[in-house]
Amino acid sequence: MADPEAEDRKPQSDEARSAFSPPAGLAAPGPAAADEESSTTSEFALPAGLDAPQPQGPGPEGSAFSTPHTYSAKHAPPAFTPATGVPVVSLTKDAPWQDRMRTMLRMPVTERPAPESVHKEDESGPAVPRVLDLTLRIGELLLAGGEGAEDVETAMFAVSRSYGLDRCEPNVTFTLLSISHQPSLVDDPVTASRTVRRRGTDYTRLAAVYRLVDDLSDPQTVISLEDAYRRLAEMRRNRHPYPGWVLTASGGLLAGAASVLVGGDAIVFVAAALGAMLGDRFAWLCAGRGLPEFYQFTVAAMPPAAIGIALTLAHVDVNASAVITGGLFALLPGRALVAGVQDGLTGFYITASARLLEVMYFFVGIVVGVLLVLYFGVKLGAQLNPDAGLSLSERPLLQIAASMLLSLTFAILLQQERSTVLAVTLNGGVAWSVYGAMHYAGGLSPVASTAVAAGLVGLFGQLLSRYRFASALPYTTAAIGPLLPGSATYFGLLSIAQNEVDKGLVSLTKAAALAMAIAIGVNLGSEISRLFLRLPGGSAGGRRAAKRTRGF
């Protein structure tokens, strides 16, 4: 009979041994220890022996769809204090919500001040996904209406914070909006996104969205989530304030007023208005057939150029160049250009690149439409002189009246509220007066004159928007209409059509410089207004810049 102790002393085979078996003489771990080793750990898990802070009220474990019950100014969870301390930020309640939200949005999450009392329907508050969905829908309307990326992020942050979600990070690109909310480092984040597929110009709807955000940001106003959804649905259902025939007539008057700015008379006014209205109807026809906007711009640019060529071939004593230039004014994408440059200056380079690429496609569509007509006109013997733009007559009173008419009709095309039309009309008249005084009377370059005039437009527009706690776009976009480089664009295309490519490229470069001067001037005027107004965050070291890379 074999000895059991001798059998235990024999070396075991490879099949009997295991790399994970405990050595001889070491007690095997119990079930509790085995469970601890087999369970997964996290870098956010608390070390052994450290008690986790418990919530102040009983309740089940939270999830992504639970209500933000811990977000209250009176019952806030224990906060983490950095080693350097938390800077004191003074958020004055009488400052516009845009400034207050922009100041906090530019701070790191750990440095943002504690949320104020939130608007909630009951003690539990709305569910996190519903708040994020409302925030994305509001941001979608703002981005589709042409608002800048930073202003869209500011509005989204204001909406989420008004319902108690202060640890939110909105992100806006050209066609995608997303927002992420993480209550703390140990909770799962909730992220939602929305795609902007259609864009429409309706500044009345844009102003209504801003009023909703302003009411949500007001501590004295209580708006439930259902009421906010109801107001948002009413904004989507509301029709445009102006019918289609008013928009077509406004486009014609805009082209006629622009032709007067470049030296046209009454006949030129009528011809330019007729060409612009025909181009607008053709563009609507293409849009109804589902053609992209590139072809719509191409078709809309043809009738004004065709009418100018026809008048030249008929030997009518008119300035055909003014007719074509006036038609181009109604098509130049000044709104998208200003928004693209503003996004680039505030650090949103991806969105700025996409907007400027869109502007380039629209501009190429206009170039193709005009060049086709000019090419056949030159082949038919039309005598068009590119140097005619150098002999513009100076008619100050008539040109100021034409610039105000241009801004008025531009505001109607943008579907602005009737209460803002008068202010933007006066702003456009001031812009052209400054440009004329500096360029014609002072002899300064057109680029510098345009930049200064656009800067005043941005300054006055920002002041008016702060007075009404609204967006600055309705007060600035239409006012820059008289400054758009329509004549430089036309003469550059005409030179290219006459095989003078070098001269044409010089003129188109001038048009690009004027466009950049307009966009930078409008943005600079808005920033200057912020420098001299009382803003929140003064005790935290001054106003933070949007982004600072310092070249690396």
Side-chain angles (χ1 to χ4, degrees):
M1 182 174 182
D3 187 4
E5 296 181 358
E7 293 291 337
D8 293 339
R9 290 193 296 268
K10 291 182 180 180
Q12 297 180 352
S13 62
D14 294 338
E15 290 79 3
R17 289 198 306 267
S18 174
F20 300 98
S21 60
L26 182 63
D35 293 341
E36 290 180 0
E37 292 183 1
S38 61
S39 61
T40 59
T41 59
S42 172
E43 58 182 356
F44 299 106
L46 296 174
L50 183 62
D51 295 333
Q54 301 296 327
Q56 296 185 4
E61 182 180 358
S63 66
F65 298 94
S66 61
T67 55
H69 57 277
T70 59
Y71 280 85
S72 175
K74 297 180 179 179
H75 306 286
F80 170 75
T81 303
T84 57
V86 178
V88 179
V89 181
S90 175
L91 297 177
T92 56
K93 295 184 179 181
D94 55 346
W97 65 266
Q98 295 97 323
D99 292 331
R100 291 188 283 115
M101 296 301 109
R102 185 181 289 108
T103 301
M104 287 193 295
L105 191 61
R106 291 176 177 179
M107 294 180 183
V109 179
T110 56
E111 297 183 8
R112 292 174 184 169
E116 301 173 3
S117 58
V118 299
H119 310 320
K120 295 186 293 187
E121 306 163 82
D122 49 27
E123 291 299 326
S124 60
V128 174
R130 296 192 65 196
V131 175
L132 299 185
D133 178 71
L134 175 67
T135 303
L136 289 174
R137 291 178 183 272
I138 290 177
E140 178 190 8
L141 289 181
L142 293 177
L143 186 62
E147 194 63 82
E150 185 182 28
D151 295 327
V152 176
E153 285 193 358
T154 302
M156 292 174 62
F157 185 75
V159 174
S160 61
R161 185 177 174 84
S162 64
Y163 286 102
L165 308 183
D166 63 308
R167 296 180 63 90
C168 285
E169 289 296 336
N171 186 23
V172 176
T173 57
F174 184 59
T175 57
L176 181 65
L177 301 98
S178 63
I179 185 170
S180 178
H181 167 67
Q182 187 176 15
S184 64
L185 292 178
V186 297
D187 291 328
D188 296 331
V190 183
T191 303
S193 62
R194 194 172 183 87
T195 302
V196 179
R197 302 189 182 277
R198 298 196 58 175
R199 300 176 182 272
T201 304
D202 190 344
Y203 281 2
T204 299
R205 180 181 298 172
L206 189 70
V209 175
Y210 261 82
R211 282 194 293 269
L212 175 60
V213 178
D214 185 33
D215 293 339
L216 291 174
S217 304
D218 187 5
Q220 307 300 327
T221 305
V222 178
I223 299 179
S224 64
L225 198 64
E226 281 70 19
D227 291 339
Y229 268 109
R230 178 183 53 79
R231 291 178 58 176
L232 202 61
E234 291 177 355
M235 297 175 197
R236 291 181 176 273
R237 287 195 301 265
N238 286 345
R239 294 184 177 181
H240 299 304
Y242 306 103
W245 66 270
V246 174
L247 299 180
T248 302
S250 299
L253 293 177
L254 188 152
S259 65
V260 174
L261 288 179
V262 294
D265 52 11
I267 299 178
V268 172
F269 182 93
V270 175
L274 180 61
M277 288 188 290
L278 287 176
D280 181 75
R281 289 295 90 191
F282 288 155
W284 276 109
L285 181 62
C286 294
R289 297 295 180 179
L291 291 179
E293 285 186 303
F294 176 86
Y295 302 105
Q296 297 177 28
F297 274 81
T298 301
V299 172
M302 289 183 175
I307 291 179
I309 294 295
L311 292 176
T312 302
L313 293 176
H315 302 287
V316 180
D317 188 15
V318 295
N319 189 354
S321 300
V323 177
I324 303 175
T325 302
L328 291 179
F329 264 86
L331 299 175
L332 294 178
R335 173 182 60 89
L337 175 67
V338 172
V341 174
Q342 178 183 357
D343 289 341
L345 294 176
T346 52
F348 295 85
Y349 301 114
I350 296 178
T351 307
S353 301
R355 288 186 189 270
L356 294 178
L357 185 62
E358 181 187 42
V359 171
M360 188 193 72
Y361 270 101
F362 291 163
F363 187 76
V364 170
I366 298 172
V367 168
V368 171
V370 176
L371 276 182
L372 285 175
V373 177
L374 291 180
Y375 177 78
F376 287 106
V378 171
K379 291 297 183 182
L380 293 176
Q383 300 296 326
L384 297 174
N385 185 14
D387 296 331
L390 301 178
S391 59
L392 296 178
S393 59
E394 298 180 13
R395 300 169 294 178
L397 296 180
L398 184 60
Q399 288 179 334
I400 291 176
S403 65
M404 296 177 67
L405 177 61
L406 192 152
S407 299
L408 172 64
T409 53
F410 202 176
I412 295 176
L413 289 176
L414 295 174
Q415 303 282 0
Q416 291 190 196
E417 291 181 308
R418 292 179 174 86
S419 59
T420 63
V421 170
L422 178 59
V424 74
T425 301
L426 296 176
N427 201 6
V430 171
W432 182 260
S433 300
V434 173
Y435 172 79
M438 296 184 64
H439 178 55
Y440 295 114
L444 296 179
S445 66
V447 176
S449 304
T450 301
V452 174
L456 289 178
V457 168
L459 177 61
F460 293 156
Q462 193 65 231
L463 294 177
L464 289 173
S465 68
R466 290 172 184 276
Y467 174 73
R468 295 177 177 265
F469 292 91
S471 172
L473 287 181
Y475 301 99
T476 58
T477 305
I480 65 173
L483 304 176
L484 292 176
S487 58
T489 303
Y490 161 69
F491 288 117
L493 299 179
L494 179 58
S495 299
I496 294 177
Q498 294 178 344
N499 293 326
E500 298 179 1
V501 180
D502 295 340
K503 190 174 182 180
L505 292 178
V506 171
S507 185
L508 290 180
T509 303
K510 177 183 176 182
L514 292 173
M516 293 297 293
I518 293 173
I520 295 176
V522 170
N523 181 264
L524 183 60
S526 301
E527 295 297 329
I528 289 176
S529 67
R530 296 192 181 105
L531 292 177
F532 295 99
L533 293 178
R534 183 177 61 175
L535 298 179
S539 59
R543 177 175 178 264
R544 295 175 181 265
K547 289 180 177 65
R548 298 184 67 183
T549 59
R550 296 188 181 274
F552 48 79

